[in-house]
Amino acid sequence: QLVLMLYDGALRALSVARDACGRPESDPRRYEVANHQLLKAQSIIAELQGTLNLEAGDGQFAREMHRLYDYYNRRLIEANLRKDPAPIAEVDGLLGEVRDTWAEMLRTQETGLASGIRSVA
């Protein structure tokens, strides 16, 4: 559940950053807000990356996720430098898919656990 909360937090930050980039040029805080939210999303992604166990199993899944998180961070750096909403939207979509997959895995585990408890009782 904590990982899911981290994904949700990163996605919220990306949404705010993308909105800030789309604000009118006359808004003096648009770049400040975008910068803050992009850095927040990058921090969350770094936290997710830091939780990967590269030694578990054959480590293939963790290595792939590590590479994905690196890619997300590179794209967010690019977005922040240019204040370009396109890379933000890209990362938002990709991270959203990972988040939804994680949520589905949790639902499957909870369903399996509930079924096991009912069969024991």
Side-chain angles (χ1 to χ4, degrees), residues 73-87:
N73 271 319
R74 283 195 312 273
R75 293 295 284 158
L76 294 180
I77 290 168
E78 179 182 332
N80 205 357
L81 287 172
R82 297 183 178 150
K83 299 305 184 258
D84 181 1

Side-chain angles (χ1 to χ4, degrees), residues 8-121:
D8 288 340
L11 291 168
R12 276 191 304 275
L14 292 174
S15 177
V16 173
R18 192 173 56 236
D19 290 346
C21 287
R23 290 181 185 174
E25 294 286 333
S26 60
D27 184 345
R29 292 203 54 224
R30 73 184 268 214
Y31 292 145
E32 177 186 343
V33 170
N35 177 62
H36 178 75
Q37 294 300 317
L38 288 169
L39 292 176
K40 183 176 181 178
Q42 286 178 272
S43 292
I44 293 170
I45 291 169
E47 183 66 30
L48 288 163
Q49 191 173 34
T51 65
L52 295 172
N53 183 350
L54 300 173
E55 305 302 319
D58 68 0
Q60 182 64 28
F61 175 77
R63 282 193 299 279
E64 290 298 319
M65 290 304 298
H66 196 277
R67 287 182 33 218
L68 275 176
Y69 291 144
D70 274 344
Y71 177 76
Y72 298 161
N73 271 319
R74 283 195 312 273
R75 293 295 284 158
L76 294 180
I77 290 168
E78 179 182 332
N80 205 357
L81 287 172
R82 297 183 178 150
K83 299 305 184 258
D84 181 1
I88 301 170
E90 177 189 3
V91 172
D92 182 68
L94 294 170
L95 193 62
E97 289 178 20
V98 174
R99 181 253 180 240
D100 292 345
T101 301
W102 188 266
E104 180 61 31
M105 185 266 313
L106 288 176
R107 277 191 295 276
T108 301
Q109 281 185 341
E110 289 171 359
T111 302
L113 181 60
S115 296
I117 291 172
R118 280 195 300 272
S119 66
V120 171

